[in-house]
Amino acid sequence: MLRFAPSPTGDMHIGNLRAAIFNYIIAKQRGEKFLIRIEDTDFARNIDGKDKEILASLNLFGLLWDELVYQSHNFKRHQKFADDLIKQGKAFYCYCTKEFLEQKKQEALEAHLPFRYDDTWAEIQKNENPKPVVRLFGSSEPIAFDDMIKGRLEFAPNELDSFVILREDGIPTYNFACACDDMIYDVSFIVRGEDHVSNTPKQILIQQSLGYKKHLGYAHLPIILGESGKKMSKRDSASSVDWLLEQGFLPQAIINYLISMGNHTPKEIFTLKVAIEWFSIEDIAKSPVKFDLKRLRYINREHLKTLDENEFALLLGTQDVGIGALGKLYLEEASTLNEIREKLNRIFSPKDISAFYEGESFEPECLKLFETLQIMLGLSACSQGQVEKTNEAILADYESFKNEAITRSGLKGKQFFKPLRILLTGESHGIDLGAIYPYLRPHFKDILQIKGQK
Ligand code: GLU
């Protein structure tokens, strides 16, 4: 069993999503199940509804799970394990108050020594504190494991003093619940962020103390750096999966990007399904990797290119295939769905012809051409025209439209083409008008509007 274990205490960030993707891929490669475990042990920090949001995101990314558990549902089992450990003399009640431990920490600080819990303190305050915690005895042996990315990691016994496994209210700590559940669900391999490296020896010690013999594999992912070169934080908006989706990045492109970060992939552009064929966690680079929005934009554009006009239309929220085709053409200039939406909005919004000034104003020409096109619209049925089938027909259509407009308006060269582009697209530069004309033509009535004028 592979698992992804999100805490419902905040939004999914790309680091979480990356771990989820890798665990999912490895589950598929090994023919094992994929478990989602909602780690809801921190009641004070849990956010209502976050679990559902996380599941919806995983669903959207196609990371479908075979089993779903809420860690809090297993508290009774965790407590039973803790009882067993106490009975076997591997864990003990510790009555130290917070104030006592705080004082000991302060003393260590003043003596310039690292703070270590001393097992002889356990019962000093037995009479003062009715609510003991349960601690697992630390290790007298070093604990080591082979990390598939970081190599062999070893922790000396003095790094593992006796630590809390059940809090004073009987709720298991994160490490204890995690280690127990990994046993209960027969987890075989764990991919997670490198911020968990220091938890791993504790989790191994818990499982060893419980007599668990299975050898678990580990891969701790290097941190992701933001544009500034510092660890990506919540303040970097690109670290939020929701933000990326809101910007119009496709889930399949985000997946493609996260798999290629710090990795050599046989192809630049691929799907999750294809990555299952060749992905190897050992290939992930050890060093931290910088989030590269430019690269994600490139990958997103390549994925958008693979969509057909129907799919494009649906993503743009319309069933009009012509609009889908138009959106696709704009991939020449845009890399996200939002940028394409902006282009289309500009086309369908009344044009502010006074806003375009490039050493000269095109306002009088725009007005002239606008009137001309109004007349042509009234005369011909071009506003209702069908999209022509062949390229030649489209071209011929654009040619005749253009020639008629030139003749009727008396405008020519730049004085004709700039205003035409402004009136049709709301921009003074851009992609080939002949290419987009056939898709614009059925909407001429809506498109040909000037701000402040009917
Ligand atoms: N709940 C932990 C987190 O969100 C997961 C730790 C793990 O995968 O073991 O960071």
Side-chain angles (χ1 to χ4, degrees):
M1 179 91 84
L2 275 288
R3 80 337 184 253
F4 173 58
S7 304
T9 52
D11 291 335
M12 271 247 266
H13 60 77
I14 49 165
N16 303 131
L17 180 60
R18 192 157 173 245
I21 295 167
F22 293 167
N23 281 303
Y24 174 87
I25 293 179
I26 296 170
K28 297 294 148 195
Q29 288 177 334
R30 297 179 166 205
E32 293 184 29
K33 285 192 171 165
F34 180 52
L35 167 76
I36 303 294
R37 183 171 76 223
I38 307 284
E39 298 205 323
D40 55 348
T41 52
D42 192 346
F43 292 132
R45 290 181 57 228
N46 285 347
I47 300 174
D48 239 15
K50 244 336 137 206
D51 55 331
K52 299 279 183 308
E53 279 178 28
I54 293 171
L55 293 174
S57 297
L58 292 170
N59 207 12
L60 181 72
F61 282 89
L63 303 171
L64 303 181
W65 53 93
D66 303 295
E67 281 184 46
L68 170 67
V69 291
Y70 283 73
Q71 195 151 52
S72 59
H73 294 183
N74 281 342
F75 279 175
K76 288 244 147 48
R77 297 174 82 174
H78 305 144
Q79 284 154 352
K80 168 85 176 52
F81 280 131
D83 280 346
D84 292 347
L85 289 170
I86 294 171
K87 281 188 196 124
Q88 292 166 30
K90 292 178 178 163
F92 60 97
Y93 288 107
C94 163
Y95 294 86
C96 295
T97 57
K98 289 202 174 65
E99 295 73 26
F100 176 87
L101 292 172
E102 227 11 85
Q103 188 199 325
K104 291 290 181 196
K105 272 182 202 162
Q106 196 55 39
E107 284 171 20
L109 197 70
E110 281 161 19
H112 303 289
L113 291 169
F115 171 74
R116 299 271 173 240
Y117 177 84
D118 182 336
D119 295 348
T120 62
W121 299 339
E123 301 204 345
I124 293 179
Q125 293 182 298
K126 195 163 179 180
N127 298 328
E128 296 155 55
N129 185 8
K131 287 187 163 176
V133 298
V134 177
R135 286 182 187 264
L136 183 74
F137 276 111
S139 176
S140 52
E141 306 282 318
I143 291 197
F145 66 93
D146 292 305
D147 189 281
M148 296 287 260
I149 296 172
K150 297 183 171 298
R152 188 154 182 87
L153 297 173
E154 195 172 297
F155 297 80
N158 70 0
E159 290 180 71
L160 278 169
D161 46 5
S162 304
F163 58 92
V164 180
I165 56 172
L166 284 192
R167 298 194 191 112
E168 55 182 35
D169 53 5
I171 302 296
T173 55
Y174 155 71
N175 276 316
F176 192 58
C178 179
C180 292
D181 282 344
D182 287 337
M183 277 171 48
I184 296 172
Y185 295 94
D186 193 23
V187 168
S188 59
F189 192 85
I190 295 173
V191 184
R192 59 185 170 194
E194 75 175 4
D195 44 331
H196 287 288
V197 165
S198 61
N199 289 322
T200 305
K202 290 184 180 172
Q203 295 174 9
I204 292 175
L205 182 63
I206 292 167
Q207 292 176 348
Q208 281 176 357
S209 305
L210 285 165
Y212 193 59
K213 295 279 184 288
K214 183 165 177 145
H215 177 84
L216 273 71
Y218 293 93
H220 288 93
L221 298 171
I223 53 168
I224 300 176
L225 304 175
E227 308 259 279
S228 64
K230 293 209 192 88
K231 183 179 174 185
M232 228 184 181
S233 74
K234 280 188 185 151
R235 264 183 253 144
D236 298 272
S237 32
S239 73
S240 153
V241 172
D242 285 345
W243 184 83
L244 292 173
L245 292 170
E246 279 159 22
Q247 294 300 302
F249 288 102
L250 297 174
Q252 55 269 46
I254 298 174
I255 287 186
N256 185 155
Y257 176 65
L258 291 179
I259 294 176
S260 17
M261 271 181 117
N263 193 1
H264 291 289
T265 57
K267 277 191 164 186
E268 264 193 319
I269 305 302
F270 50 82
T271 60
L272 176 62
K273 202 166 157 218
V274 168
I276 293 171
E277 291 166 20
W278 47 252
F279 178 79
S280 168
I281 192 80
E282 287 149 86
D283 293 343
I284 300 290
K286 269 195 202 121
S287 42
V289 46
K290 205 163 172 175
F291 188 86
D292 184 350
L293 197 60
K294 266 206 210 105
R295 175 113 192 109
L296 174 59
R297 287 170 58 78
Y298 164 75
I299 291 176
N300 198 54
R301 187 158 156 226
E302 293 305 306
H303 276 273
L304 283 167
K305 280 186 195 164
T306 66
L307 302 179
D308 67 24
E309 293 148 10
N310 281 302
E311 291 166 322
F312 228 96
L314 286 177
L315 282 175
L316 292 170
T318 168
Q319 300 201 340
D320 185 332
V321 186
I323 296 291
L326 183 60
K328 256 199 99 158
L329 286 174
Y330 266 103
L331 281 178
E332 219 179 274
E333 301 182 338
S335 300
T336 68
L337 284 172
N338 277 15
E339 289 170 3
I340 290 168
R341 283 190 193 107
E342 252 172 52
K343 299 277 180 196
L344 298 183
N345 277 345
R346 230 169 266 159
I347 291 174
F348 287 97
S349 302
K351 314 299 179 304
D352 183 1
I353 56 170
S354 63
F356 300 92
Y357 184 84
E358 293 167 11
E360 55 183 316
S361 158
F362 293 94
E363 202 170 343
E365 289 82 1
C366 280
L367 265 180
K368 176 86 195 126
L369 184 60
F370 178 68
E371 280 157 19
T372 306
L373 295 179
Q374 290 290 327
I375 294 167
M376 280 170 65
L377 262 181
L379 291 180
S380 78
C382 69
S383 66
Q384 302 304 322
Q386 290 292 307
V387 173
E388 302 291 347
K389 293 284 182 294
T390 64
N391 280 343
E392 281 123 66
I394 291 170
L395 224 57
D397 191 35
Y398 176 60
E399 283 302 304
S400 64
F401 159 78
K402 203 176 63 185
N403 290 337
E404 189 181 344
I406 289 173
T407 313
R408 282 177 180 267
S409 67
L411 298 167
K412 53 183 183 232
K414 194 171 159 192
Q415 262 59 37
F416 171 77
F417 284 106
K418 273 261 184 235
L420 181 64
R421 184 179 289 285
I422 291 169
L423 290 176
L424 294 184
T425 67
E427 291 187 291
S428 55
H429 299 272
I431 60 180
D432 182 20
L433 279 182
I436 56 174
Y437 168 84
Y439 305 105
L440 300 182
R441 201 181 65 167
H443 304 285
F444 263 17
K445 275 228 157 80
D446 294 327
I447 293 172
L448 286 170
Q449 290 184 54
I450 301 187
K451 231 183 198 166
Q453 208 161 344
K454 281 242 156 195

